[in-house]
Amino acid sequence: MPEIKVTPLGAGQDVGRSCILVSIGGKNIMLDCGMHMGYNDDRRFPDFSYITQNGRLTDFLDCLIISHFHLDHCGALPYMSEMVGYDGPIYMTHPTKAICPILLEDFRKITVDKKGETNFFTSQMIKDCMKKVIPLNLHQTVQVDDELEIKAYYAGHVLGAAMVHIKVGSESVVYTGDYNMTPDRHLGAAWIDKCRPDILISESTYATTIRDSKRCRERDFLKKVHESIERGGKVLIPVFALGRAQELCILLETFWERMNLKAPIYFSTGLTEKANHYYKLFITWTNQKIRKTFVQRNMFEFKHIKAFDRSYADNPGPMVVFATPGMLHAGQSLQIFKKWAGNEKNMVIMPGYCVQGTIGHKILNGQRKLEMEGRATLDVKLQVEYMSFSAHADAKGIMQLIRMAEPRNMLLVHGEAVKMEFLKGKIEQEFSIDCYMPANGETTTVTTNPSVPVDISLNLLKREMALGGPLPDPKKPRTMHGTLIMKENSLKLVSSEQALKELGLNEHQLRFTCHVQLQDPHSDADTLHRIYTHLKSVLKGYTIQHLPDGTVIVESIVIKVSSSAEDSNTKVLLLSWSYQDEDLGSFLSSLLKKGLPSGIC
Amino acid sequence: MAAHLKKRVYEEFSKVVQIPHEETPAKKLRLSKPSKSAALHIDLCKATNSTDALQYLLQFARKPVEAESVEGVVRILLEHYYKETDNSVRLKIASLLGLLSKTQGFSPDCIVDDAINTLSNEKSHQVLAQLLETLLVIGTQLPESPALRLRLVEVAYKHLSDTYFGVRNKCLQLLGCLGMVDAPLGKENEGAGLRDVQSIISDYFGDQDPRVRTAALKAMLQLHERGMKIHQIIYDQACRLLTDDYEQVRSAAVQMVWVLSQLYPESIVPIPSSNEEIRLVDDAFGKISHMVSDGSWMVRVQAAKTLGSMLQVSPHFLEQTLDKKLMSDLRRKRTAHERAKELFASGEFSSGRKWADDAPKEKLDTNTVNLIASGACGAFVHGLEDEMFEVRIAAVEALCQLARSSPSFAEKCLDFLVDMFNDEIEEVRLQSIHVLREISTHITLREDQLDTVLAVLEDSSRDIREALHELLCYTNVSTKECIQLALLELLKNLNKYPTDRNSVWKCLKFLGSRHPTLVLPLVPELLSTHPYFDTPEPDMDDPAYIAVLVLVFNAAKSCPTMPALFSDHTFRHYAYLRDSLSHLVPPLRLPGRKQVYGLDSVDSGPGSGSVESAQLFLQQSLNRVSTIQNLEAPGAQDLLDLTTRDLLRLGELQTELAGAADFCATYLRCQLLLMKALQEKLWNMAVPLCLKQNVTATAAAQQILEETYKLEFLYSGLESRQVATIHHVRLQAKALQLVLTARTRQGLDLLIGSCEKFLQDVESFQRLFLTELPHLQDSFVDKLLELMPRLSSCKPVELVKILQTTLRQSGLLQLRLPEQIHRATATIIEPTGESDNPLRFTSGLVVALDIDATLEHVQDPQNTVKVQVLYPDGQSHVIHPKPGDFRKPGPHRHRLITQVYLSHTAWTEPSQIEVRLLLAYSSSSTSLTSPSKLGWSESLESLPPAEAAVEGTIPFSKAVKVFIMPKPARR
């Protein structure tokens, strides 16, 4: 039986370093090539030596697909393609291709320039690597080679995020990447058609969470900002540059517009400006509202949001500032936080998760006195708010996607093992399909049952049609006679005559004969006649002939009677039928073995 | 056959040729038409290949064929059909047959046989499908013939097994449209093949082609629409189709399931995989709810819409639609709604939440968590969060419908609707505000909910704010804090958007009268009175203060203890406001204010009885006027004068009759003017002697003309009789003008010209009001028409003489009032014209002036209403507002909110410009120019244009003055 093998090199029962190997129909595909944020050593990249100990990966991989631009999905890309060595095709969507190098470059700068690491990929490597990228469009079927084809679906999550449908022959796998089933202010919801893949590889970050309606969260967020502004306070929103930041910008921008507010909103510059530029360009990837209104005004051309300058932080009056990074551990957001922390009118809103040890984490846990570098302490008087705006599908969303795609097997990655366990149980219970959750390096094998396409000759089909009813009933299988010819990698079903002709063979008749002993006191001729009448009464609707030369012919079955040598009362019936009439023949033989009913004259 | 046909065609040809000679030459064009069938035949014979033939047919299809020659054309087409080998040509012919059988006045039963015959020989599937389509058209044209239907249905049965999906589609369509509704028992013995239509159609629910499955479902729905009772067995089959791969099938299946749930709401269906049973409507509700999270948004819209109309569903199921259990890390979490409610219940209002205060508490049992919502669970939660706003709107509407019928559900969905106020699409926000208003009778807002609602008051969209004011008018609130909160927010709103003044006041009026007891404890605070000290008297012109007073006074109406809390100036302000804003301030029984009370009781006294008496008075006045037989009767003028005055006053007093009274008064004034102009002594003098009188008469004629246009276009609800009367007056005025022209000017050419024009006017009058002529006995036009043959032949001078005498001899035409008559009015709310601060702008540039006006009884304001700006130097601009600037808040009411751009060269001083609204009219646009809709025919083209269209404008609002100051540009 053909098999599909899935091996996560990263993201197996884990979040970060997404990298999944899939072998399907003799093709090897790598899905995502991410890095792990938690490690600074070799463990941050997937272990490519799993594929090959030495040498380049090109020979072992048919293609690499990147689902979206987050570093845990594409961070190891230059390392893999340039340092380990891979020259095959790399697929990603247009927005991902545009934004990915910005993030990679930023990542490189931090690692090399700030932390001073050596033996890391260079800017040139990023450029070289991006040259190998082939962009994908949504719903466009791309032929990687003759057999392997891939197709991208919209995934929400971040701009350009895609799910990929990978198909070889009739076997297929869908990899979701990260996705979001509820639309937000700038992106739509993930969508896939009923493609019924053999395996659906889904992320499961929020496998045990069902989230509240996003409207409540948004309303809360806006209300808080609004109240603070009305009080004349300053609001700091630490964000990471891409993704959520844009959503919050849109949210605030439209709110400002709607409510006619005048307080300035600032966005710290740099990376973000470049990214915003791409958001403006890739309007088709955004949600319905932005797509419909961009003709009048591109929503990403912010009217109220301006670039931030360091000096603005001391300006009097209310303002809202988006600053990086998101966890208040360094950089601009920390500087501003220090300036504003003393005033209780001000507010900081943490829009995402904070790692333990960061200032963000401390203040979220209610710490009011912070120790800064040196011996200085900082009194935190400003209000601290937490607003979760995560863009992953929750448990319900994952189930919804499964219902949309109707996979035959399910495979969970990108989540914690305990949580996966729960979801796995639920999936198996609700859909009664198998669900797997391999750890890193562990291989899951799924056997498939692919259908084999066979060409059928038109003549044969027409002949069979003519025999049966007017329309083929899709619900009922129908048997037909024909010859299956396997020739040069193709299968053909033709009528037997044609097959003989093609193969240059003579036709051989195959007949079965059997003797049936019958106790009958009559003469041979009489017995034959009795058999004739008996069959006539039993087999209605068949042509039965009594030939003068002492045979009875039922369709193609010949019946002859002869007395046995020892006992004239024991008659030996000779039945002979061709193999086409096997059913009827065996029926007749068993019928005659029972003997003739006595009432027949 | 062909020869016969040809002969037939030529027969027709020659037959019709004779007609033009009998009839008016205007219809000469008919000549060419009957020959069309012949031409077609010739064309088709000429066609050497199929492309040519197709071209001819396409050309032919562009022109209509009249009823009498349809059959001939059909014969020719069929003739050609049999000969034709090319599929596309046959297809076109088949479609033409369908088109032709739709021709009015042609009964297609004569071509049924041929069409059915062609079916049996046809090989091409596409043509077959087209032929069936044609049969469908024929069948629907002849609904009264059961025999034919039976035949067609049989044909459909026969072709149902075709291999091409199109043919099966059409057959199913035929069955759906023509299948027997009243299942005939007697028919069954005619043939065993005549099975029940429903079971045959339902066989195709499982067809391999999704289009056929859709068609089958649609056919079934069609049967339902035609009144056939769908069997309950279909339910299971329809439910299976809900999971079809194709969206159009699922969409149709949703409809089908809905239909069945309405037919058999109380039947019991088993739940699969358990022993329980539930009502069918609940089951269907659950299934359709499930479709709200379908993959295709079309299906989602359909499902969400459908949910709204399933009112019989049990409350238990209904409430599930709003259910969404939250969890985080496998622990139960409360929704923000629940938290808000608890926060409110615990008495803590600050919303300063801490990190992790929504932290999950209880540990959930993994077995109880249901991730795939079974049934209705959370359907609306999904629908309201949908990606497509169409789905969200549909969900909001469905919520509204369900909530209206179930108060408890209304209570539950409140939180969700309030959340929708924050949607990104304005349409959705607006819709949810409207919905909340509609269900507001069922609900009382909690303070935290009110808070969220009120936050929207700052929205920059005027529509949203006004909708919200409207909502607040109908809202019940629970505590006095709510009232205070609402007042505070409304005042904030007023401060931010001063243009909302009227709307805010109105809102407070209702808020006050709804919650008198809640307002009572707030009164001292609101009026800032103090038990010991006199507080300063607030500024009476402050809109915010007026707003507070409106709230208090309306509450005081049903709370007699309240006035005791007022201070002296409050009473004075009451008297002032009662006078200036009487629509907002109710009459109060104030102690020691008998006068006011007395006056008020008079005001509120007249009820329905007075309308009747006023009506009677109106009728009597008209009757009195009708006694005037001759225009020259003594006292007639006085009577008219008096009646006009009476009517005008009546219109002021009785707003219901204002339209009618004004209309009559204007009409009578026209008559009076005419009468004066025709006074005896004027006409007996020699021309040079009465120049002055001439001038007044000319002016009168001009005025009458203007008034007639007002009469015709400013009033709605006129019947053709009144219009005829108005036109009659206009004709009189024109006659007067003609007579005057003849007297003053010598130029004969000019006179001839105007005579001709007048005669044309008379003719067109006759044409337009042919049916009304009997009512115009003994009138000017009646006499004129009698003399018509003479008039058209006589010389202009003679004509003028005749006119002069006829004018003077003709009697007064009595006016008959229609049922309802309304005068179009407009009030400009903004600008108010009170501002002393000039609008300054640099000359040469433009400044936008906001205009806000309400229009009453204006038909089609988008095309007729214009804004006129009159500058002090006499320059006037007419601005046509965009169609989008008009809103329709109520029946016969429109609201115009627009901006006009002003510009002028520099002035030395600020000065006032006038802004007013105009009603544009064009006599050609009246519906009466084409009283009977002529069928589409070529003869219409040959008709002369009815009448040179007269276009003009009528000012119908008071002019508002705006102070502006264009400054010279600084260099």
Side-chain angles (χ1 to χ4, degrees), chain A residues 82-260:
Chain A
E82 305 308 312
M83 295 171 79
V84 181
Y86 170 72
D87 300 317
I90 302 170
Y91 291 95
M92 50 176 88
T93 61
H94 284 278
T96 310
K97 188 184 176 185
I99 298 171
C100 187
I102 309 179
L103 283 171
L104 286 172
E105 181 60 31
D106 190 58
F107 172 49
R108 190 197 64 81
K109 252 189 225 156
I110 289 172
T111 334
V112 178
D113 299 354
K114 291 237 170 93
K115 294 184 186 156
E117 272 189 54
T118 49
N119 191 23
F120 204 72
F121 54 79
T122 60
S123 295
Q124 190 55 42
M125 284 181 181
I126 298 176
K127 279 178 196 153
D128 289 341
C129 153
M130 293 317 286
K131 279 179 196 154
K132 296 173 187 167
V133 171
I134 302 168
L136 279 175
N137 283 316
L138 280 184
H139 302 177
Q140 172 200 16
T141 306
V142 175
Q143 291 284 348
V144 178
D145 55 35
D146 288 344
E147 288 158 14
L148 175 63
E149 60 183 45
I150 56 175
K151 184 176 175 184
Y153 289 95
Y154 192 76
H157 190 63
V158 288
L159 193 78
M163 308 194 270
V164 268
H165 182 229
I166 302 146
K167 197 173 159 201
V168 179
S170 65
E171 294 168 288
S172 61
V173 170
V174 168
Y175 173 60
T176 62
D178 290 357
Y179 64 102
N180 190 6
M181 293 300 284
T182 42
D184 64 29
R185 288 282 166 161
H186 72 307
L187 297 172
W191 182 86
I192 197 163
D193 54 25
K194 253 186 204 167
C195 50
R196 301 195 172 94
D198 289 306
I199 308 181
L200 175 67
I201 305 174
S202 168
E203 64 132 335
S204 52
T205 325
Y206 285 102
T208 55
T209 302
I210 301 175
R211 267 200 312 256
D212 200 355
S213 124
K214 60 160 184 152
R215 284 177 203 288
C216 288
R217 280 178 279 151
E218 279 175 6
R219 202 187 55 211
D220 258 14
F221 172 78
L222 293 173
K223 204 171 149 195
K224 270 170 204 155
V225 174
H226 191 186
E227 276 169 3
S228 188
I229 291 296
E230 277 196 332
R231 274 199 309 267
K234 298 176 167 59
V235 180
L236 171 66
I237 307 174
V239 287
F240 285 108
L242 293 169
R244 284 323 89 196
Q246 274 73 19
E247 184 190 355
L248 292 177
C249 280
I250 292 256
L251 194 59
L252 278 190
E253 167 86 11
T254 44
F255 187 73
W256 249 238
E257 189 101 17
R258 259 180 66 197
M259 294 302 179
N260 226 341

Side-chain angles (χ1 to χ4, degrees), chain B residues 714-727:
Chain B
L714 209 53
Y715 294 90
S716 59
L718 297 185
E719 289 156 15
S720 81
R721 179 135 178 219
Q722 281 85 41
V723 180
T725 319
I726 296 165
H727 276 252

Side-chain angles (χ1 to χ4, degrees), chain A residues 191 212 219 258-259 364 426, chain B residues 295 336 355 369 419 460 496:
Chain A
W191 182 86
D212 200 355
R219 202 187 55 211
R258 259 180 66 197
M259 294 302 179
L364 276 178
K426 283 288 159 196
Chain B
W355 146 251
V369 181
D419 277 351
S460 60
K496 200 162 174 182

Side-chain angles (χ1 to χ4, degrees), chain B residues 267-443:
Chain B
S267 320
I268 300 293
V269 290
I271 305 175
S273 75
S274 82
N275 297 328
E276 286 172 68
E277 290 180 326
I278 49 170
R279 292 160 70 215
L280 190 139
V281 67
D282 290 342
D283 189 52
F285 189 79
K287 290 200 160 100
I288 295 178
S289 299
H290 210 63
M291 301 306 282
V292 174
S293 45
D294 191 85
S296 148
W297 69 273
M298 308 280 249
V299 180
R300 295 202 297 267
V301 171
Q302 178 79 46
K305 271 189 190 150
T306 314
L307 281 183
S309 49
M310 299 178 81
L311 301 177
Q312 299 104 315
V313 70
S314 7
H316 158 67
F317 265 84
L318 196 55
E319 280 157 23
Q320 269 191 12
T321 52
L322 296 176
D323 182 52
K324 191 179 183 185
K325 293 219 166 44
L326 302 190
M327 63 174 188
S328 168
D329 274 355
L330 278 180
R331 275 174 295 177
R332 168 101 172 85
K333 210 171 124 179
R334 287 161 311 140
T335 62
H337 290 150
E338 289 169 325
R339 286 203 302 277
K341 205 167 174 175
E342 262 169 47
L343 213 62
F344 174 74
S346 67
E348 185 193 341
F349 298 128
S350 81
S351 58
R353 286 201 290 113
K354 286 156 250 134
W355 146 251
D357 88 327
D358 63 342
K361 305 251 159 63
E362 352 149 22
K363 185 99 172 139
L364 277 183
D365 180 9
T366 46
N367 290 327
T368 59
V369 181
N370 191 6
L371 284 183
I372 286 274
S374 61
C377 232
F380 280 119
V381 178
H382 276 290
L384 293 176
E385 273 186 39
D386 199 274
E387 182 182 2
M388 312 299 283
F389 84 93
E390 291 90 342
V391 183
R392 297 200 297 266
I393 284 197
V396 167
E397 273 163 8
L399 264 186
C400 169
Q401 287 178 325
L402 289 169
R404 263 190 303 196
S405 64
S406 156
S408 68
F409 184 69
E411 192 76 41
K412 287 226 163 57
C413 72
L414 192 62
D415 279 325
F416 291 90
L417 276 179
V418 171
D419 277 351
M420 293 307 284
F421 285 14
N422 202 17
D423 196 272
E424 54 192 340
I425 307 256
E426 182 171 327
E427 229 174 311
V428 182
R429 295 201 294 267
L430 203 56
Q431 184 65 32
S432 44
I433 294 175
H434 284 313
V435 165
L436 198 57
R437 192 192 72 215
E438 280 182 51
I439 63 172
S440 54
T441 46
H442 288 316
I443 49 174

Side-chain angles (χ1 to χ4, degrees), chain B residues 6 22 62 66 127 171 182 193 213 304 353 360 399 407 444 491 572 587 642 653 686 690 718 723 769 773 842 855 898:
Chain B
K6 241 183 253 176
E22 295 162 3
R62 280 188 206 114
E66 72 280 355
V127 183
C171 287
D182 32 30
R213 293 199 292 272
R353 286 201 290 113
L399 264 186
T444 305
L491 291 182
R572 266 186 284 121
L642 212 67
L653 286 177
C690 57
L718 297 185
V723 180
F769 301 108
L773 282 182
T842 307
L855 317 168
T898 186

